[in-house]
Amino acid sequence: MSEATANIGVVGLAVMGSNLARNLASREGNTVAIFNRSHDKTEHLVAEHPEAEFVPTFSYEEFAASLTVPRTAIIMVKAGAGTDAVIEELLKVFEPGDIIVDGGNALFTDTIRREKAVRETGVNFVGMGVSGGEEGALLGPSLMPGGSDESWVTLGPILRSIAAVAEGEPCVTHVGHDGAGHFVKMVHNGIEYADMQVIAEAYDLIRRATGKTPAEIADIFAEWNTGDLESYLIEITAEVLRQVDADTDKPLVDIIVDQAGAKGTGGWTAQTAIDLGVPASGIAEAVFARSLSSHPEQRATTGVLPGPAEEFTAFDADAFVEQVRLALYASKIVAYSQGFDIIRAGAAHYGWTIDLGTVAAIWRGGCIIRARFLNRITEAYAESADLPVLMTAPFFREALAASQDAWRAIVATAAASGIPSPVFSSSLAYYDGLRAGRLPAALIQGQRDFFGAHTYKRVDKDGTFHTLWSGDRSEVEAVDTH
Ligand SMILES: NC(=O)c1ccc[n+]([C@@H]2O[C@H](COP(=O)([O-])OP(=O)(O)OC[C@H]3O[C@@H](n4cnc5c(N)ncnc54)[C@H](OP(=O)(O)O)[C@@H]3O)[C@@H](O)[C@H]2O)c1
């Protein structure tokens, strides 16, 4: 049996776990115990990285015995049944006060369930969102832990030491209790879907309307990355567009099959938004855009379904590119505003206290949606923590005022010329929906009352009403059945 020499352990040594373990081992004061179901991964990691001075273990008993108390283990295994299996094994060898951290991409409702069950044994369970992929895990991820205040006392210093650093601050905070960390990570991924889709729409519009090559559009994105849009995703977009395929000498983007994959977290975000009644249309459209791309059998209707007679050509390419930039910026503001709305609604529903400004701050480094822009979100919530809609903060309101004409022009052009722009256009519809003094929802309530006696409220007096549609069509007071 190992002596208890390790202050932290990692279970699951595939890409993420092995990199996170190396990150932990590289920080002053950490000794890292490692365990993987298949022993070859453990042996391989120890052999490849002697500098990490790992404590390799080959049974859960040995793993627990190698950890100092309170034992702290980060699980990085395939989310779902794998996570439950590992928790079950750890609970056999851990004691009250010990800490199990799940760093996998768990659905937050699973985390709520697991936290409740594990708490009954006296062991602390922390669901932690980890963003940044392989490189982030090794060099510094953005970390979103939930769980109890007690476990944060032990975990805080360790997590601060391995997280990415943005403007001198580690990209980690105790997001909130039980499933709050995984919830926030899920919304992060939902925003990521929308952010990637608006970039893709901008590229497509520029390419189709100006005829510029991918390499020329790469230059445009590189230029955009020096301004308000500066972000990791814009930066890597330029890299991808510039890449030339070695086999064919063509732009790689033209060789890659145009069907986008997804691992589910965008869909979870959209589904959660629907469940919470939050109109996160940009995120949902981004998820649907990937689904549409991945149905070649349906897309074979090209040439069957009629489109506009002529393709659009931008008369002034530079002016068109600038309009696209503004449309992208405006749509991105909407996507983030919707994402933060989901977090606010989730916090209210599940009883979490989540500091929205701090969430924006810990996304500035390590994660995929890191961007200059996030500072503005932190400032907006610092000024007004109860801001009902993020995009109404002065900075964003002014940005939208400056970009809305271009945004409308681009959405109109896209519609007229048959270029799909689902997130550009749905974001604009959402924006105009919020602006509208009066919505046709009144008519929908009338229809609902007609076929289902669902009742309605009146603008001119209190109470709930129903029209006797199949009778004499007089109005009666009714019980609210909304
Ligand atoms: N990849 C990313 O960019 C990223 C980013 C953030 C979070 N995550 C999350 O991090 C976690 C790890 O991701 P990954 O890509 O490194 O690995 P993965 O491919 O998702 O999972 C492989 C690991 O899970 C273990 N495992 C699977 N089922 C198990 C079970 N029933 N009992 C014990 N161990 C089991 C495997 O052990 P064996 O070697 O024995 O098969 C292996 O160590 C996942 O939850 C993932 O969603 C990934």
Side-chain angles (χ1 to χ4, degrees), residues 16 20 23-24 27 74 76 101-104 126-133 136-146 152 155-165 169-176 180-182 184-185 188 358-359 361-367:
M16 290 298 286
L20 199 72
N23 183 352
L24 282 160
R27 311 293 167 160
I74 302 180
M76 292 302 289
V101 183
D102 173 21
V126 176
M128 178 170 77
V130 178
S131 179
L138 179 62
L139 302 175
S142 173
L143 297 171
M144 292 150 259
W152 177 241
L155 278 179
I158 299 173
L159 299 181
R160 275 198 202 97
S161 75
I162 59 165
V165 175
E169 290 293 316
C171 294
V172 57
T173 189
H174 183 209
V175 173
H182 274 139
V184 165
K185 170 64 182 3
H188 162 284
T358 305
V359 167
I362 66 164
W363 287 348
R364 287 175 307 170
C367 64

Side-chain angles (χ1 to χ4, degrees), residues 12-17 36-38 41 60 76-79 81-82 85-86 103-105 130-134 185 263:
L13 302 175
V15 182
M16 290 298 286
N36 193 72
R37 179 180 60 177
S38 321
K41 281 202 181 70
Y60 284 103
M76 292 302 289
V77 302
K78 197 169 179 58
V86 173
N105 266 337
V130 178
S131 179
E134 182 180 346
K185 170 64 182 3
K263 284 210 169 160

Side-chain angles (χ1 to χ4, degrees), residues 157-444:
I158 299 173
L159 299 181
R160 275 198 202 97
S161 75
I162 59 165
V165 175
E167 297 175 32
E169 290 293 316
C171 294
V172 57
T173 189
H174 183 209
V175 173
H177 292 154
D178 55 67
H182 274 139
F183 187 94
V184 165
K185 170 64 182 3
M186 174 190 75
V187 175
H188 162 284
N189 285 23
I191 292 173
E192 180 185 309
Y193 274 59
D195 210 340
M196 291 169 74
Q197 176 66 23
V198 288
I199 290 172
E201 289 176 22
Y203 151 74
D204 196 32
L205 277 154
I206 293 173
R207 188 153 185 199
R208 289 171 65 164
T210 69
K212 286 183 187 293
T213 64
E216 288 168 332
I217 302 174
D219 290 341
I220 292 170
F221 277 97
E223 164 66 25
W224 287 358
N225 201 37
T226 62
D228 291 330
L229 286 171
E230 181 191 326
S231 61
Y232 172 72
L233 283 171
I234 293 280
E235 181 190 328
I236 65 162
T237 299
E239 300 283 328
V240 174
L241 289 175
R242 222 186 294 284
Q243 185 72 13
V244 174
D245 175 51
D247 281 358
T248 59
D249 219 24
K250 289 184 176 159
L252 180 66
V253 74
D254 289 343
I255 300 299
I256 298 175
V257 173
D258 61 344
Q259 296 173 24
K263 284 210 169 160
T265 46
W268 289 350
T269 314
Q271 183 63 56
T272 302
I274 290 169
D275 292 344
L276 293 169
V278 178
S281 50
I283 293 171
E285 283 293 352
V287 175
F288 289 141
R290 290 197 194 185
S291 315
L292 187 152
S293 78
S294 302
H295 282 288
E297 74 294 352
Q298 292 187 321
R299 291 175 57 193
T301 53
T302 311
V304 177
L305 296 174
E310 281 183 34
E311 296 207 343
F312 173 77
T313 303
F315 172 67
D316 179 341
D318 289 345
F320 184 81
V321 167
E322 176 58 8
Q323 282 186 320
V324 171
R325 185 184 71 82
L326 291 166
L328 165 51
Y329 191 37
S331 306
K332 179 171 163 141
I333 291 172
V334 169
Y336 281 68
S337 189
Q338 292 180 344
F340 277 87
D341 243 12
I342 301 173
I343 298 176
R344 177 196 300 287
H349 185 81
Y350 292 100
W352 300 317
T353 304
I354 299 181
D355 182 330
L356 300 177
T358 305
V359 167
I362 66 164
W363 287 348
R364 287 175 307 170
C367 64
I368 306 298
I369 62 171
R370 59 185 182 261
R372 178 196 282 203
F373 181 82
L374 289 161
N375 278 322
R376 306 281 92 80
I377 298 179
T378 304
E379 286 161 15
Y381 285 120
E383 238 165 70
S384 170
D386 296 330
L387 197 63
V389 182
L390 175 61
M391 66 183 172
T392 59
F395 176 86
F396 295 114
R397 212 173 51 220
E398 280 161 30
L400 289 165
S403 48
Q404 67 146 336
D405 287 348
W407 191 13
R408 292 182 191 288
I410 288 296
V411 169
T413 299
S417 50
I419 302 173
S421 61
V423 177
F424 276 16
S425 46
S426 68
S427 304
L428 181 57
Y430 168 84
Y431 175 79
D432 283 332
L434 287 188
R435 288 177 50 257
R438 208 164 148 69
L439 290 167
L443 174 59
I444 290 171

